[in-house]
Amino acid sequence: MSERVMPGRTDGLITLVAADALWVDLTAASAVPTASGAFTCSPARARVGYVLLGSHVVATVRASGDQWSVPEVEVRRAAAELNAVGMDRQDLVRIGPFRRAPRQECNKETPLRWRQRITGELQDLGGPERAARREVGRPYHLAGIDWRQILVEQTRDGTQRTWWLPRAVVRLLDAAEHAETQWVQATRTHQASATVTQPPSHPRQARDTGRRQTTSPDGPTTSLRPYNKELEGQLYSVLSRKPATSRKVAGWACAVCRTAPATVLDHCHEHGYVRAPVCHSCNTQERPDHLYSNDIRVANRYTRLFHTDTHDWLRHWHRCPGCRARTTLPLPHLAAWTAHIACRSLRPTHRAPRGRKPCGVLHVSWTGSQNAPRSCLLTVAVDFCPSGEHRVLTRVPYREAAERFRTWLAETAPAVAAAAGPDRLDDLPAQFRPVIADTSGKDLELF
């Protein structure tokens, strides 16, 4: 078979080397950078029967001997899907490292598990194996995406390193991981059914070796089902310990964005109730950026939480019966809302090429807790402000902040406000239920 890809051809098989060249050529103008070696370099699994391209699974075909090919039309379809994805390099999602996360070894024989692969690569940054890999020039690709070009590394206090990727890429890799899982499960089911239906008196014999065979399953993969309040009112401390919870969560679509597969079970840390299954991207966006246990940084991502997608997030937060009954938010989110929305007019600005720009880094801290609202006080401040290194903007009592939020909620999301109120105090926990940490490292995806 010729290595050259015929322009305009929409069917037929091409070799893996030709597919590598075609993938790079078709995605040259994509907002998401791609890498060569998507079919021939690890972690590509062409010899297992498939290759991941973006969020698309492309089945590989074995011809005579040990030669593998791939349908050209599938490569073009995957490239078209990737080219349609928009990416904002400023909208970042933290991908690691996280505390208590056990290190998992990944090689070319294991599934994607892209977070573990990236963590393994970056944790070995100064090791001799890393230097040897760099000399070889192995492309850094996952599902055909060159993640090294868009990886952002940030440091806090000069010691702690954190790694970030654009949200669009995180959603692509999450979708690729889910698509791979569904593909493998469908393949195993198909093979098992074929084995059962085969007569035992006729053992399988080798067919013509010159005949092409495909390893793709005949049946379609299962689609994600929407979340319809199946877990409403259940306690996270109980549900997270059930052995089948992980598999159950993986079958839902994210309850917030409703596009990506759900991977974690989000819950309210104050009342202990399960909210809904969400994807890694939405879970990271919702997680407060703690400087200390009672101090958080209010970054630009709160624009999505309280402006762009505020209706989706308010509805999600109020899936907790405790927050819905009290018409409020968990203390870290209420503090962030107070700093980002209620005290927006107090934040200093400075001149910029396009008008004026808020200066400094906004953060909010608090004393006390929501369980003692009379003594709880929120302090909104700006760091690295030209008018003062740490400038305190205002101090707001917890009760005042909660009352401001209720007024804003009624104006911004009337439907959410109408479903909230003190008449829904039934079945609330009598006392605060702490989150039960899983120290075994098993089922860590739930946390």
Side-chain angles (χ1 to χ4, degrees):
M1 186 176 188
S2 175
E3 292 284 332
R4 183 168 63 90
V5 179
M6 300 299 295
R9 195 171 67 182
T10 58
D11 57 8
L13 299 175
I14 57 178
T15 64
L16 300 182
V17 176
D20 277 340
L22 180 62
W23 171 252
V24 174
D25 180 65
L26 293 176
T27 59
S30 174
V32 180
T34 56
S36 59
F39 291 86
T40 56
C41 296
S42 179
R45 312 185 72 200
R47 296 183 182 275
V48 179
Y50 66 93
V51 171
L52 293 173
L53 294 181
S55 59
H56 197 73
V57 178
V58 177
T60 53
V61 179
R62 182 170 60 186
S64 59
D66 197 29
Q67 296 182 359
W68 289 81
S69 303
V70 64
E72 180 183 352
V73 63
E74 295 297 325
V75 180
R76 294 184 178 274
R77 181 179 292 113
E81 291 181 4
L82 187 71
N83 291 334
V85 175
M87 183 181 69
D88 182 4
R89 289 178 178 263
Q90 304 300 321
D91 185 13
L92 300 176
V93 172
R94 181 179 173 181
I95 62 172
F98 297 108
R99 292 177 296 178
R100 301 193 307 270
R103 182 169 178 175
Q104 301 182 19
E105 296 293 334
C106 294
N107 52 55
K108 63 181 180 181
E109 299 301 329
T110 61
L112 181 60
R113 296 178 183 172
W114 64 271
R115 286 179 171 81
Q116 289 89 337
R117 290 185 181 274
I118 292 180
T119 300
E121 290 279 352
L122 297 178
Q123 285 180 343
D124 293 337
L125 187 59
E129 299 85 1
R130 178 71 176 207
R133 293 175 191 170
R134 185 174 296 178
E135 292 178 1
V136 174
R138 182 171 65 89
Y140 300 98
H141 87 87
L142 290 171
I145 299 173
D146 190 354
W147 57 271
R148 285 299 299 239
Q149 290 191 28
I150 49 180
L151 180 74
V152 176
E153 182 175 325
Q154 299 178 359
T155 57
R156 179 181 297 174
D157 301 328
T159 56
Q160 183 182 1
R161 294 184 305 165
T162 56
W163 305 313
W164 305 71
L165 282 177
R167 187 175 305 277
V169 175
V170 170
R171 287 182 172 175
L172 274 175
L173 295 177
D174 281 343
E177 195 169 294
H178 176 77
E180 180 185 37
T181 302
Q182 297 294 328
W183 196 94
V184 171
Q185 290 177 353
T187 302
R188 291 174 179 174
T189 302
H190 175 68
Q191 292 175 348
S193 61
T195 303
V196 172
T197 56
Q198 184 180 7
S201 59
H202 297 82
R204 181 177 297 177
Q205 300 180 354
R207 303 292 181 183
D208 182 10
T209 57
R211 186 176 175 183
R212 295 190 183 98
Q213 297 177 355
T214 177
T215 58
S216 62
D218 294 340
T221 59
T222 58
S223 58
L224 296 173
R225 66 181 188 274
Y227 176 73
N228 294 316
K229 302 181 179 180
E230 289 86 345
L231 305 178
E232 185 177 17
Q234 299 193 37
L235 293 175
Y236 179 79
S237 59
V238 176
L239 191 61
S240 62
R241 292 186 174 276
K242 294 183 178 180
T245 301
S246 299
R247 295 190 298 271
K248 190 174 183 179
V249 169
W252 274 306
C254 175
V256 178
C257 65
R258 296 182 290 277
T259 56
T263 53
V264 296
L265 199 58
D266 188 34
H267 66 286
C268 178
H269 287 253
E270 286 189 4
H271 304 105
Y273 283 106
V274 170
R275 292 193 187 116
V278 298
C279 63
H280 271 298
S281 177
C282 291
N283 187 53
T284 305
Q285 183 178 4
E286 187 262 348
R287 182 186 295 122
D289 186 9
H290 280 281
L291 296 173
Y292 304 99
S293 60
N294 64 334
D295 196 330
I296 60 173
R297 180 184 290 110
V298 184
N300 292 331
R301 64 189 178 89
Y302 282 98
T303 301
R304 283 181 175 268
L305 299 178
F306 297 129
H307 287 284
T308 309
D309 305 322
T310 183
H311 286 81
D312 294 332
W313 283 107
L314 289 171
R315 190 179 301 110
H316 175 69
W317 285 323
H318 273 208
R319 287 187 171 106
C320 168
C323 294
R324 186 170 67 249
R326 292 172 173 83
T327 320
T328 185
L329 296 178
L331 181 54
H333 295 314
L334 180 64
W337 176 87
T338 302
H340 190 76
I341 300 294
C343 301
R344 178 170 41 189
S345 60
L346 302 178
R347 188 175 180 182
T349 60
H350 63 267
R351 291 182 180 179
R354 298 180 179 179
R356 301 189 66 85
K357 180 181 179 181
C359 63
V361 178
L362 191 64
H363 82 268
V364 59
S365 60
W366 56 89
T367 57
S369 72
Q370 73 284 352
N371 296 323
R374 290 188 178 183
S375 59
C376 185
L377 184 67
L378 311 181
T379 301
V380 182
V382 172
D383 292 345
F384 312 111
C385 179
S387 59
E389 184 68 12
H390 301 282
R391 178 179 176 183
V392 176
L393 299 183
T394 185
R395 291 182 173 87
V396 183
Y398 175 86
R399 286 187 169 182
E400 180 182 343
E403 189 60 35
R404 288 187 183 183
F405 172 77
R406 296 186 185 102
T407 303
W408 175 84
L409 179 66
E411 297 174 352
T412 306
V416 178
D423 56 330
R424 290 168 174 80
L425 288 174
D426 296 338
D427 299 328
L428 286 179
Q431 59 183 356
F432 172 74
R433 300 180 184 269
V435 177
I436 300 177
D438 184 3
T439 57
S440 65
K442 185 179 180 182
D443 290 335
L444 193 65
E445 64 273 7
L446 291 177
F447 293 83

